[in-house]
Amino acid sequence: MAQEAAVVVTKLRLQTLFCGLLSVVVSTTTLAAILPEERADVMYHLYDGGGMTIDGTSLLVRKNVADTYSFSANSYVDKVSSASIDVIASGASEYSEQRDEYSLTGTYLQGSMLLNGGYTSSSENDYDAETLYFNVDQGFFGDLTTFSMGYSRGSDDVMQNGNDAFADTIDRQNYRFGLSQILTPNLMMGLHYEAVTEEGYLNNPYRSYRFLTNPLDINAGFQTATEVYPRTRTSDAATLSASYYFDYRASLKFEYRYYTDDWDIKANNYQITYTHTFGENWIVDIKYRAYQQDQAYFYSDLFSFASLDEKDFRARDKELSEFSTQTFGIGISYQIPYFKGGKYIDKSTINLQWDHIQFDYDNFRDITQNAAVGEEPLYSFDADVIRFYFSIWY
Amino acid sequence: MKTLMLSLLLIVSTASHAAMSKVTAPDFTLKSNIGKNLRLSEYRGQVVLINFWASWCGPCRQEMPVLDELHQSYEALGFSVLGINVDKKSEAADKLLKDIPVSFPILYDNSNAASELFNVDAMPYTILVDRDGKMRYLHRGYKRGYEDKYREQIKALIRE
Amino acid sequence: MQIRLANTQFQRLLTKALMLLLLGGCSVEPWVKPYERQNFADPIMSADRNPVSSSYMHHVYQAREGARGAEGGAGGGCGCN
């Protein structure tokens, strides 16, 4: 089976994993009219699956001033060891690298309006990203309803190890609207919408697609070439959510998201989380999430022809294929009684969360397996994600 | 996009400040943090600022030091602030008071009986009661600057 | 830069829903009184009890799935490619 290696690369970086930025979660606060709590968190995180091991630490510190302003600083480190399917399939050897990220945010409370803004910067040896964002939350009708609006602007620099001539950028904008509504003393619902639009180099300089050496003879094998992507991508996503409180001190949260973009990807996912408290000090969360997506129109595991020009798109990124994932998660949180209500520390918890994710691809094949071209087994893998962290409130 | 923006401008909010027709304030008795139950009618002859607040309300926190300052400034002239906490369980309220200590009495309305009597529909909810026990001014919510209105109204009611 | 929303249906639906709510809600008395909202202040009802952990999970999904947006996160978009 003839298989020509693509340009020799020192490693195949899965830039899919190193999105420029960690999505900074600004809590869509259930009650608009209060500042986030002052706290500090230290977290160790680990992702292990599909041949990749990524671990690292994250730190968050938040301080409030005059009950009117709130500031936070967050740092995040990812250390990667990867021998994933894309790495192995390209013939490259396992690689290691590190990504560092930090964010700063500020919040202002006036009446039932909350103004939020932040900056995040991320860097690794071949990808730099910066994002600036603003959000406004406003309460209406006695604060039963909260309307939120937000905007983010991102700018990424894409580089390639071993090729100093390569440099490109991505310009990104996000627009968000949301509505949270209290329906009964125990039930709250929300509807959130986000549009993302990007322009620039949207693929991965290390990744290739494969095409038949002879379109009339599949047994002649395949060749590879660098992917060809559109220079723009625009997407819409809307999430419907509900949270219900049980008077015996437990909660049930449900979320459904529908996604669509101009690469023809349609996806939906839903998530159910049940939270139960045991006494004053123990909280247990149980979570199930299911995700499903259709492929991008220019995706294929095996193309018949190579791309003719930069508008003849080709992708073999499994993230753009047709696939589904399922997650089973459990989390335990223990409030340390010794630190409760102290002079400097109000509350302190120690937490462990574990999620098990199954990935099943419907049209991405595992070409590391010995099989006839186009008949390799469909790829699937499991991953475990562990978060272990310690939090204090002061 | 434009219609979206326009529809936002159509919002009409319930009045933040109102003058009330001189209805007698409903009477109530609540447990307090100064060791004994307090009854509103016992404050006849004084101007009273009743402030309903909750531990999970941000503007209520911002307002506490302001109310404390008003209480201390005008107490000698026959004025008192009464803070009524509406939390069902007082734990979080007491924690807030530890962070922001105040010198005026705090009453605990755990069963929300007083909140219902006064038709509380915003948080914080501030009512100024004159020396004859009649409700005169109402303020919904709190924003920086409201204390100037409070001060004006308190001085006017004290002089009556 | 012009936004070209992939699906303007979303935009229309959202505008209608908002207008209905805002116009209809103008004269609405809060049917859940402010003093009945204690349950929502309980940390277990919070959308984000553990911001660092949930932020990380959003990143895990966004890096490996095609969909992005409207996760309840509201910050820097993920530059996933």
Side-chain angles (χ1 to χ4, degrees), chain A residues 149 151-152 274 284:
Chain A
M149 269 198 331
Y151 174 75
S152 309
Y274 177 70
V284 173

Side-chain angles (χ1 to χ4, degrees), chain C:
Chain C
M1 184 168 147
Q2 280 281 345
I3 331 168
R4 197 178 40 86
L5 292 177
N7 193 342
T8 50
Q9 283 256 6
F10 268 115
Q11 191 190 345
R12 283 195 218 110
L13 259 166
L14 192 70
T15 312
K16 281 191 204 127
L18 269 171
M19 286 181 74
L20 273 170
L21 178 72
L22 297 173
L23 293 175
C26 280
S27 50
V28 164
E29 269 282 307
W31 62 89
V32 178
K33 297 292 178 190
Y35 47 87
E36 290 173 320
R37 306 225 186 113
Q38 181 122 28
N39 293 337
F40 301 108
D42 192 323
I44 67 172
M45 279 296 270
S46 167
D48 218 2
R49 214 166 80 228
N50 304 300
V52 180
S53 172
S54 44
S55 174
Y56 177 68
M57 277 315 285
H58 286 313
H59 170 72
V60 166
Y61 289 122
Q62 226 183 54
R64 296 169 179 82
E65 294 172 347
R68 69 264 176 96
E71 295 114 342
C78 178
C80 302
N81 57 348

Side-chain angles (χ1 to χ4, degrees), chain A residues 168-188:
Chain A
D168 210 329
T169 59
I170 300 178
D171 197 54
R172 181 178 311 108
Q173 293 184 83
N174 296 44
Y175 299 83
R176 288 178 292 276
F177 300 100
L179 205 62
S180 285
Q181 179 71 46
I182 293 179
L183 293 168
T184 78
N186 290 42
L187 175 67
M188 160 181 262

Side-chain angles (χ1 to χ4, degrees), chain A residues 98-135:
Chain A
Q98 178 165 317
R99 182 176 81 93
D100 298 304
E101 175 187 303
Y102 74 87
S103 322
L104 297 166
T105 75
T107 306
Y108 171 66
L109 170 69
Q110 170 76 324
S112 34
M113 181 185 73
L114 209 60
L115 274 175
N116 229 307
Y119 170 78
T120 306
S121 163
S122 159
S123 68
E124 53 204 297
N125 53 20
D126 56 6
Y127 201 100
D128 286 334
E130 287 186 314
T131 303
L132 205 57
Y133 76 87
F134 297 104
N135 284 321

